[in-house]
Amino acid sequence: MRLRALLENDALGLRLLGGEDELDRTVRGVMTTDLKDPSRYLSGGELVLTGLAWMREPADAEPFVRILAGAGVAALAAGEAELGDVPEELVQACSRHRLPLFGVNESVAFATITEHVVRQVSGERAGDLAAVVDRHRRLMTSGPAGGGPEAVLDLLGSDLDLRAWVLSPTGRRIASAGEPLEPALAATLAGEHLAATRTGRRGPHRVSVGGTSYSLFPIRNTGRGAAAQPASRDVRETVLSDWLLAVEADAGDWPAARLDLLQGVTQLIAVERDRRDAARTVRRRLAQEVLELVQTGAAPAEIAARLRVAAPVLLPGLGTAPHWQVVVARVEWDQEPGQNAVESGPVTQALLEEILVDPSATGADTADRIAVAHSGDEAIALVPLATAPLPESEDDAPPAALGLHADVLLTAVRDPLSAGLADDGRLTLGVSAAVHSAEGLRGALEEARHARRVAAARPGRVCAAGHHELASHVLLLPFVPDDVRRAFTARLLDPLRDYDRRHRAELIPTLEAFLDSDGSWTRCATRLHLHVNTLRYRVGRIEQLTGRDLSRLEDKLDFFLALRMS
């Protein structure tokens, strides 16, 4: 497909602003972006669509165009809905780099252009997909006549007799035609998809669950399809954020034309993914601004002003100031010697947005009350709670007033994410207590970070900790060095373990019960079904073997900690 053909199609609303001599370039795909540096998602030959949200000052034009030209894109199309006329600085930069530039009339949706390009490119490989698109014309549009991903899935059912679902990487239902999948089945399919992707196998991935066959197709952002993806790209950068298309069928015996058809469908659905990411731009920017103010020690009044701006965006119609919670997450990967480092910040940001979505919600716009920023490999969420004032006790509060709980957040997503993390990745997450003012936000951020470090000290691929754990010894124990931990527990408990092995005296269970009974002889003897004199004999033997006195608080505490660390 040539650029000239796009310009000649009046329905696309393209106006040539520069590059007339380059109109014979071939278009191999389309990508929508507002990133300042989209190079990681480019493979060459794309028509790049942008709303110019990345352009905050004239000097931004040159580096952006230089990146596109270096990646070998076919042309740039700039929307005129936000800024009106395309800035002259962008026109000049494109001229210097010989990059064709189009203006897109504000009355034309990017989805219309994307649909046309995808239809033309994929139509060369799969005529049946082009016929479906030509018949229905409503694919991937946002107006009342459209239906988003559901329209695509309806067509798969009506034209090809295929049941299909679009799922998030955690198994949450994005779209479906007809009956949705059971949550447990959806999570299983998501986990199977993530595990197969981590092995490097090319999709579709075929699995059987309960005697039913499913084929799983990855859905990546436009321009990032498997065929266009650079060979050097590390799958860990996207595995935890890409959607998937689950089809109730075994694609193993499908002809090439039908496989091409489904690959084309995933590209159409990817437009919805791009639209969702674009819709989150404002919320992400708000979170980034608040985070920068908090971390640089800005005055509470300045932070409060930004929160007042954020509240109507995140909680439209809210009459009172919300309370806020901070959630910090981090995805870390083991690195082999000589292996390139994986940039985890963006994928952690997308993953945290997914985790914080109400698990009972569906669709692509359910995260509209979540603002997530990222700093380095760390993602930070600013979550408003529409409750004021906070209750005096949890017993008197409705569930919404209690806010987010670390363990609950990961319950439904632990299995699929563990599959995606495989044996070289970890996700750790920390949740702060709710705060009601800008003054408390800095403390909430540090609290969430401390909680995440507590989670990181635990075993497992997916771990979380909450603010309530920071007022307990559990905050200290995970940070005791392993050699110190082993030496401390060995000095106190090894003599008792050795004695138990030789005499079956059950001194360790006796010690645990005695401490759990707060040193009460009667309660402990009752619990162990022993005579008090027998209990006194065992405690005496413990004191004799260890040189400690269990009537002293300090020695009781040492034994308690040794048992917890053993």
Side-chain angles (χ1 to χ4, degrees):
M1 178 181 185
R2 305 288 182 181
L3 286 175
R4 192 178 306 278
L6 290 175
L7 189 61
E8 293 171 351
N9 189 327
D10 295 336
L12 298 182
L14 295 178
R15 181 166 55 90
L16 184 64
L17 301 179
E20 184 175 359
D21 295 336
E22 305 291 334
L23 291 180
D24 286 328
R25 290 187 181 187
T26 300
V27 179
R28 299 187 179 90
V30 61
M31 174 189 177
T32 302
T33 185
D34 274 312
L35 296 173
K36 294 184 72 171
D37 180 4
S39 57
R40 72 179 63 191
Y41 306 127
L42 298 172
S43 58
E46 296 92 351
L47 171 66
V48 174
L49 305 173
T50 179
L52 299 177
W54 51 268
M55 191 171 181
R56 299 187 180 183
E57 55 185 5
D60 290 338
E62 172 64 23
F64 181 79
V65 173
R66 184 169 60 248
I67 289 169
L68 298 189
V73 305
L76 173 65
E80 299 174 339
E82 291 292 330
L83 302 181
D85 292 338
V86 175
E88 182 62 24
E89 292 80 9
L90 183 60
V91 176
Q92 294 175 4
C94 288
S95 177
R96 286 193 295 271
H97 291 276
R98 298 182 63 83
L99 180 67
L101 175 65
F102 299 101
V104 182
N105 191 282
E106 63 180 358
S107 64
V108 179
F110 282 177
T112 301
I113 300 173
T114 299
E115 177 192 339
H116 178 79
V117 173
V118 170
R119 184 173 70 246
Q120 294 299 319
V121 173
S122 62
E124 297 174 0
R125 305 190 313 267
D128 49 356
L129 176 60
V132 168
V133 176
D134 285 337
R135 250 192 338 268
H136 294 274
R137 303 292 300 176
R138 60 190 173 89
L139 298 181
M140 306 315 302
T141 60
S142 57
E150 284 82 0
V152 181
L153 302 186
D154 283 337
L155 295 177
L156 289 178
S158 61
D159 287 73
L160 301 177
D161 197 26
L162 292 175
R163 297 182 65 203
W165 305 264
V166 179
L167 304 176
S168 78
T170 65
R172 181 174 61 87
R173 179 169 63 94
I174 303 295
S176 65
E179 290 297 319
L181 290 172
E182 290 293 329
L185 176 57
T188 297
L189 294 179
E192 293 284 351
H193 169 74
L194 292 173
T197 301
R198 286 304 313 277
T199 65
R201 288 193 281 127
R202 189 182 181 90
H205 310 303
R206 295 147 53 203
V207 299
S208 179
V209 181
T212 302
S213 295
Y214 298 90
S215 296
L216 311 175
F217 295 79
I219 299 173
R220 300 186 174 95
N221 285 2
T222 306
R224 293 196 292 149
Q229 185 170 308
S232 60
R233 184 172 179 79
D234 195 320
V235 69
R236 295 177 296 180
E237 294 183 15
T238 59
V239 66
L240 297 178
S241 58
D242 285 334
W243 291 354
L244 69 137
L245 173 67
V247 179
E248 189 179 304
D250 187 345
D253 57 356
W254 282 5
R258 176 161 288 202
L259 286 173
D260 283 345
L261 185 151
L262 266 294
Q263 295 292 353
V265 167
T266 64
Q267 293 180 36
L268 289 173
I269 298 175
V271 177
E272 177 69 12
R273 174 66 187 272
D274 294 339
R275 187 191 66 77
R276 184 204 67 163
D277 285 345
R280 288 182 173 179
T281 300
V282 173
R283 295 190 295 276
R284 287 173 170 175
R285 188 174 298 166
L286 283 171
Q288 197 72 46
E289 291 174 356
V290 174
L291 174 62
E292 290 174 359
L293 290 174
V294 171
Q295 293 192 126
T296 56
E302 187 176 359
I303 300 174
R306 295 310 302 161
L307 290 178
R308 284 194 294 272
V309 173
V313 175
L314 302 178
L315 288 174
L318 183 68
T320 57
H323 291 75
W324 303 91
Q325 271 185 291
V326 176
V327 181
V328 173
R330 187 167 186 168
V331 173
E332 299 174 286
W333 304 98
D334 297 336
Q335 296 296 136
E336 297 293 337
Q339 188 179 29
N340 293 330
V342 178
E343 185 181 359
S344 298
V347 71
T348 309
Q349 181 182 42
L351 182 59
L352 185 54
E353 287 172 335
E354 169 65 24
I355 290 172
L356 293 176
V357 171
D358 182 351
S360 64
T362 61
D365 298 319
T366 52
D368 59 351
R369 296 185 176 185
I370 302 162
V372 183
H374 76 83
S375 176
D377 290 340
E378 186 180 68
I380 301 167
L382 187 64
V383 182
L385 306 174
T387 56
L390 286 176
E392 295 183 1
S393 70
E394 294 189 357
D395 293 338
D396 299 329
L402 304 181
L404 304 173
H405 292 263
D407 292 337
V408 175
L409 282 177
L410 296 181
T411 298
V413 303
R414 181 171 276 105
D415 289 344
L417 292 185
S418 295
L421 293 163
D423 57 357
D424 62 346
R426 292 196 74 206
L427 166 66
T428 52
L429 182 145
V431 180
S432 78
V435 296
H436 66 278
S437 66
E439 289 86 347
L441 206 55
R442 183 178 182 85
L445 175 59
E446 291 306 312
E447 190 173 59
R449 282 176 166 161
H450 280 303
R452 192 205 65 79
R453 286 193 284 269
V454 170
R458 295 171 174 168
R461 291 291 164 193
V462 180
C463 299
H467 59 91
H468 60 282
E469 298 181 63
L470 303 185
S472 169
H473 64 278
V474 297
L475 174 63
L476 303 176
L477 296 186
F479 302 103
V480 178
D482 288 342
D483 54 346
V484 175
R485 182 193 302 254
R486 286 191 293 269
F488 181 75
T489 57
R491 187 176 299 115
L492 280 175
L493 302 182
D494 279 2
L496 305 183
R497 294 191 181 111
D498 292 342
Y499 192 86
D500 279 347
R501 277 196 299 270
R502 293 196 306 269
H503 302 283
R504 298 182 181 179
E506 298 187 354
L507 296 185
I508 291 289
T510 300
L511 176 61
E512 291 175 333
F514 186 72
L515 295 175
D516 286 344
S517 302
D518 298 324
S520 169
W521 297 100
T522 303
R523 289 206 308 273
C524 184
T526 301
R527 177 174 176 176
L528 295 175
H529 306 289
L530 297 175
H531 192 279
V532 173
N533 289 339
T534 303
L535 175 61
R536 290 184 183 277
Y537 171 81
R538 289 187 182 180
V539 170
R541 179 62 67 184
I542 292 171
E543 293 174 335
Q544 181 183 18
L545 290 170
T546 61
R548 299 300 184 102
D549 182 355
L550 278 169
S551 66
R552 299 179 65 248
L553 176 61
E554 293 86 348
D555 288 343
K556 287 179 182 176
L557 180 60
D558 284 347
F559 277 121
F560 174 79
L561 294 175
L563 289 168
R564 285 299 181 96
M565 289 191 294
S566 62

